[in-house]
Amino acid sequence: MAEEESDLKGLMRNKLEVLKKRGLNPYEKYSFERTHDAVSIKSEFADIGPERSGKEVSTAGRVMALRVHGKAGFADLVDREGKVQLYFKMDEVGQEDWATFSSLDRGDIIGVRGNVFRTKMGEVTIAVKHIEVLSKALTPFPERFHGLQDVQTRYRQRYLDLAINDDVRKRFVDRSRMISFMRDWLNRRGFLEVETPILQPLYGGALARPFVTHHNYLDMDLYLRIAPELYHKRCIVGNLEKVYEIGKNFRNEDIDGQHYPEYTSLELYQAYADYEDIMDLTESILYDAAMHIVGSDKIKYGDRVLDFSRPWRRVTMHDAIKEYTGLDISSLKTVEEAKAAAMKLGVRDIEDCDGIGKIVSELFDQKAQPNLVNPTFVIDHPVEVSPLAKRKRGNPALVERFELFIVGWEFANAFSELNDPEEQEQRFREQDRLRSEGDEEAHPIDLDYIRALECGLPPTGGLGIGIDRFAMILTDAPSIKEVLLFPHMKPEAV
């Protein structure tokens, strides 16, 4: 197989040398003027018949199929939006351009000019009058019928994956369309897009383990942000009132089908709003984005059809646990009782939990969360696992927080934001105690953030949405790596 590929590469390089000797070095081309792409050709000439159009078109793309029949031939030209068929006839293009066509390989990038017609098979086609080779492929492309299927090769050589697999290319086009839609949605509602530091002297805004780097000039360690939250709330203190950011966060964690250490989030904050307002906003923006990309509130994901029809279900964490385990956690009064009840249900990794709230959180994560298939808001979380959220009105053991779950995964996290500087400092101190006892994900103390709160943070609702996971749902991607253009991989074996 390797010998055959080497032979093919040799033939492709020979063709390049022949082009150069003819004065047609493709790498000396600087541009090519296109009047149309594949989609616009098919749209503009949708009613074309067998007679050639009087209007000449110019287009460019990658050759993905070649069919030669004596002194005539066809090629499939693929660009970002689609495919258009090309027709070459030696008598029409002339000897020079016919020789160029005859030297093409799958993967070559060409530009053509010609007139459009419809073949007897009903295919909208360009009758080529002139061809230029704009870049020569020097490595064999996989056969289009079989595509590029090996997952490791697809991720390592995403450029080839995108060029070969139409569905992969469409997935990333749809991801981009989804993000653009969400940005426009927020802009129309008065939100201001902001940019906050990725390199931070003190990480915060979530419970996670950070990546650490060093700034040589300042001679200080910095952290890749795990969340932009604390900077966004500083913006609210500064009277910006409604802000959002779509960008990368970094968490030094494992990689699996839904988790990745470098991921994209949409995070927003709105002054004078609480978590109920943010719940309404979350449902609206995600529903509208789904309708924009998929065109239906019934969304196929794997072997399921997800029901996005509104309103979305809302359930307290306590009620969700009771629904799926039968356990009424409000009856548990001590940590020992809670541990015993959880262990009886088979909940793992709670031996070191020193508060009922943490045990409740584990109970939910392991026993209730996997059952939440259609969009479900789980509200009112324990205060112990929510150090930045405001206490629930009428129940100080809980906070006004929700998480959105779909197919058993978390997609969004939101609070009525804690704005009491004294209580925030107390919660930071408790997190610092946990850090001193070995909890690597506990929140560090941010005294400057306390100082910002002392200037006055209005009642505020905040939200974070996982863009990558939502793109997975809308594009039916089985793994998070399928919606990341260039995922990290272990080094290839030499």
Side-chain angles (χ1 to χ4, degrees):
M1 192 64 133
E3 184 177 349
E4 180 182 344
E5 182 173 331
S6 178
D7 291 342
L8 289 172
K9 285 185 175 181
L11 290 172
M12 297 170 87
R13 289 188 177 275
N14 288 340
K15 290 180 180 180
L16 173 62
E17 293 307 313
V18 171
L19 285 172
K20 288 180 177 180
K21 288 177 181 177
R22 292 172 56 208
L24 302 175
N25 184 349
Y27 305 123
E28 291 181 350
K29 307 290 184 183
Y30 283 82
S31 64
F32 185 87
E33 184 177 354
R34 292 198 292 182
T35 62
H36 294 71
D37 61 19
V39 169
S40 63
I41 288 170
K42 291 183 176 181
S43 174
E44 183 174 337
F45 298 96
D47 299 325
I48 196 76
E51 298 298 323
R52 306 211 176 158
S53 64
K55 180 179 180 180
E56 185 177 272
V57 300
S58 173
T59 192
R62 190 182 296 276
V63 175
M64 293 306 294
L66 289 161
R67 304 174 292 282
V68 181
H69 309 286
K71 296 182 179 181
F74 292 90
D76 289 343
L77 191 72
V78 175
D79 59 25
R80 189 183 78 180
E81 302 300 333
K83 177 189 76 172
V84 66
Q85 182 170 260
L86 309 179
Y87 172 66
F88 294 83
K89 191 174 182 181
M90 187 170 68
D91 292 346
E92 296 181 4
V93 299
Q95 291 286 349
E96 281 293 307
D97 278 7
W98 180 256
T100 300
F101 167 67
S102 300
S103 72
L104 292 179
D105 290 301
R106 293 182 66 257
D108 288 352
I109 296 173
I110 64 171
V112 297
R113 294 198 305 271
N115 301 91
V116 181
F117 74 105
R118 188 179 298 275
T119 66
K120 293 179 180 179
M121 300 299 292
E123 185 82 12
V124 174
T125 301
I126 301 173
V128 176
K129 295 167 65 176
H130 177 64
I131 177 176
E132 295 182 33
V133 181
L134 306 176
S135 185
K136 186 81 180 77
L138 298 177
T139 190
F141 270 49
E143 290 185 22
R144 189 163 178 78
F145 178 77
H146 298 291
L148 181 65
Q149 297 179 341
D150 179 73
V151 172
Q152 293 292 316
T153 303
R154 287 182 50 238
Y155 294 161
R156 292 186 191 281
Q157 300 180 40
R158 181 69 89 187
Y159 41 87
L160 194 58
D161 189 25
L162 291 164
I164 292 289
N165 294 322
D166 296 343
D167 58 336
V168 172
R169 191 166 59 252
K170 182 180 184 302
R171 176 172 288 145
F172 285 102
V173 170
D174 284 345
R175 176 191 168 112
S176 180
R177 289 176 57 224
M178 179 193 82
I179 293 172
S180 294
F181 176 87
M182 296 171 87
R183 178 176 277 115
D184 291 343
W185 194 98
L186 291 166
N187 291 342
R188 289 195 305 270
R189 288 160 177 80
F191 281 85
L192 181 70
E193 185 170 12
V194 296
E195 296 174 278
T196 58
I198 290 177
L199 288 175
Q200 300 180 349
L202 193 65
Y203 64 93
L207 302 179
R209 187 168 55 183
F211 288 95
V212 187
T213 187
H214 189 79
H215 193 294
N216 290 332
Y217 180 78
L218 296 176
D219 192 23
M220 63 183 292
D221 284 344
L222 294 171
Y223 304 91
L224 295 183
R225 73 177 179 199
I226 61 174
E229 176 173 343
L230 301 189
Y231 285 95
H232 285 190
K233 286 191 280 192
R234 287 175 170 96
C235 291
I236 302 298
V237 170
N239 292 351
L240 292 184
E241 294 192 356
K242 296 170 77 172
V243 299
Y244 78 94
E245 185 169 4
I246 298 174
K248 294 287 189 182
N249 293 330
F250 306 85
R251 299 183 182 182
N252 202 347
E253 59 185 21
D254 296 339
I255 297 175
D256 60 28
Q258 297 86 45
H259 295 85
Y260 195 75
E262 174 186 348
Y263 71 96
T264 303
S265 75
L266 161 62
E267 196 144 329
L268 65 84
Y269 292 81
Q270 179 175 345
Y272 313 112
D274 65 10
Y275 79 140
E276 294 279 357
D277 299 312
I278 299 300
M279 216 176 317
D280 293 339
L281 182 153
T282 304
E283 182 175 314
S284 295
I285 190 173
L286 295 184
Y287 175 86
D288 289 351
M291 292 298 293
H292 179 71
I293 299 301
V294 181
S296 170
D297 58 12
K298 305 299 185 290
I299 298 175
K300 181 183 179 299
Y301 185 71
D303 58 359
R304 293 175 164 136
V305 176
L306 306 177
D307 186 357
F308 268 54
S309 60
R310 302 176 67 182
W312 293 354
R313 185 188 181 205
R314 302 181 181 190
V315 61
T316 68
M317 182 174 283
H318 282 200
D319 287 344
I321 292 171
K322 187 174 182 179
E323 178 179 350
Y324 294 107
T325 69
L327 176 64
D328 181 2
I329 60 174
S330 63
S331 65
L332 304 175
K333 304 303 181 186
T334 66
V335 172
E336 289 70 25
E337 282 182 327
K339 279 186 180 179
M343 293 176 69
K344 187 176 180 180
L345 291 168
V347 176
R348 305 177 306 277
D349 303 323
I350 57 171
E351 293 80 7
D352 296 332
C353 289
D354 58 358
I356 293 179
K358 288 187 176 181
I359 298 169
V360 168
S361 181
E362 286 295 336
L363 258 168
F364 171 79
D365 290 350
Q366 297 182 36
K367 296 301 178 180
Q369 178 179 328
N371 300 290
L372 305 178
V373 175
N374 292 321
T376 303
F377 291 109
V378 176
I379 65 175
D380 302 344
H381 295 223
V383 67
E384 294 97 322
V385 294
S386 310
L388 296 166
K390 214 164 191 173
R391 293 183 188 270
K392 181 171 174 61
R393 284 161 274 197
N395 189 343
L398 303 177
V399 295
E400 295 197 351
R401 173 185 179 186
F402 73 76
E403 291 178 301
L404 172 66
F405 295 92
I406 310 172
V407 293
W409 311 338
E410 177 196 344
F411 281 78
N413 188 23
F415 313 145
S416 294
E417 301 293 339
L418 178 59
N419 61 345
D420 179 340
E422 292 184 352
E423 183 175 355
Q424 184 63 82
E425 182 171 359
Q426 290 172 5
R427 297 218 207 153
F428 277 165
R429 298 290 180 192
E430 174 59 19
Q431 288 288 307
D432 192 54
R433 180 187 68 79
L434 296 174
R435 284 168 58 80
S436 69
E437 295 174 358
D439 186 343
E440 295 182 321
E441 295 188 350
H443 204 294
I445 298 176
D446 188 336
L447 295 178
D448 180 71
Y449 177 65
I450 299 298
R451 182 167 57 188
L453 292 184
E454 289 174 345
C455 293
L457 174 70
T460 297
L463 168 68
I465 295 174
I467 291 292
D468 305 314
R469 288 187 184 178
F470 197 54
M472 288 173 64
I473 293 294
L474 298 193
T475 64
D476 196 14
S479 166
I480 197 169
K481 288 185 178 180
E482 293 288 352
V483 297
L484 303 175
L485 272 171
F486 302 104
H488 298 301
M489 307 288 289
K490 288 184 178 180
E492 293 183 82
V494 178

